Amino acid sequence: MTKEELAKKKGIQIKETTQTAAEALITTTTNQEPEVKAEPKKTEEKPNTKVTPPKAPTKIKTPNAGRPKGKPSTKISLNVPDEYLEIVNIAAGVNYKGNTSSYIVSLIEKDIEANGTIYQQIKDLTT
């Protein structure tokens, strides 16, 4: 099916010009009428006649209960070559009770301590 036949089937008028595809898309008109949406029916608001009993005091959470909260963090996807992954797993097992994320975060922290001023200078140049 040619583009002319397709356009005729879809009800699109094609103008013979030397426009780019984006320009043609913007200026193309259709023969379809826009849909008219009916407004949703409004419901009557009834006054609140319920009497709510006073709330019981809530339990105070102890700060040491549950999993300890660390710094706010974001989950990322990380690709690690297989040859490094074995070493990362060993190092995490020995030093971080098997927590690979903690091990990688510690490596990032060490790098920021060593090169943080350079990274800040680069950030300042780009802003």
Side-chain angles (χ1 to χ4, degrees):
M1 181 178 286
T2 66
K3 68 178 183 179
E4 289 81 14
E5 291 171 340
L6 183 61
K8 188 175 182 180
K9 182 178 179 182
K10 296 279 184 178
I12 299 173
Q13 297 174 349
I14 298 178
K15 296 179 182 179
E16 294 295 327
T17 61
T18 57
Q19 294 177 325
T20 64
E23 292 169 336
L25 182 62
I26 292 170
T27 59
T28 302
T29 59
T30 61
N31 293 334
Q32 298 175 351
E33 294 182 18
E35 292 182 24
V36 178
K37 294 184 179 178
E39 291 186 27
K41 294 180 181 179
K42 294 183 180 179
T43 58
E44 287 185 29
E45 292 184 20
K46 296 179 182 177
N48 187 4
T49 57
K50 290 184 180 179
V51 178
T52 57
K55 292 184 178 180
T58 58
K59 292 182 180 179
I60 299 173
K61 294 182 181 179
T62 58
N64 296 332
R67 189 174 190 173
K69 303 288 184 200
K71 298 176 184 176
S73 60
T74 302
K75 187 175 183 176
I76 63 169
S77 175
L78 179 67
N79 291 327
V80 179
D82 292 337
E83 60 192 61
Y84 297 157
L85 184 59
E86 184 179 352
I87 296 168
V88 167
N89 288 333
I90 292 169
V94 171
N95 298 314
Y96 296 90
K97 298 180 184 177
N99 189 334
T100 308
S101 293
S102 293
Y103 174 65
I104 293 172
V105 168
S106 72
L107 294 177
I108 294 170
E109 288 172 346
K110 288 176 187 176
D111 180 57
I112 290 172
E113 287 174 13
N115 302 311
T117 55
I118 295 169
Y119 298 149
Q120 186 62 43
Q121 289 172 355
I122 292 170
K123 181 181 176 186
D124 293 342
L125 288 175
T126 59
T127 56

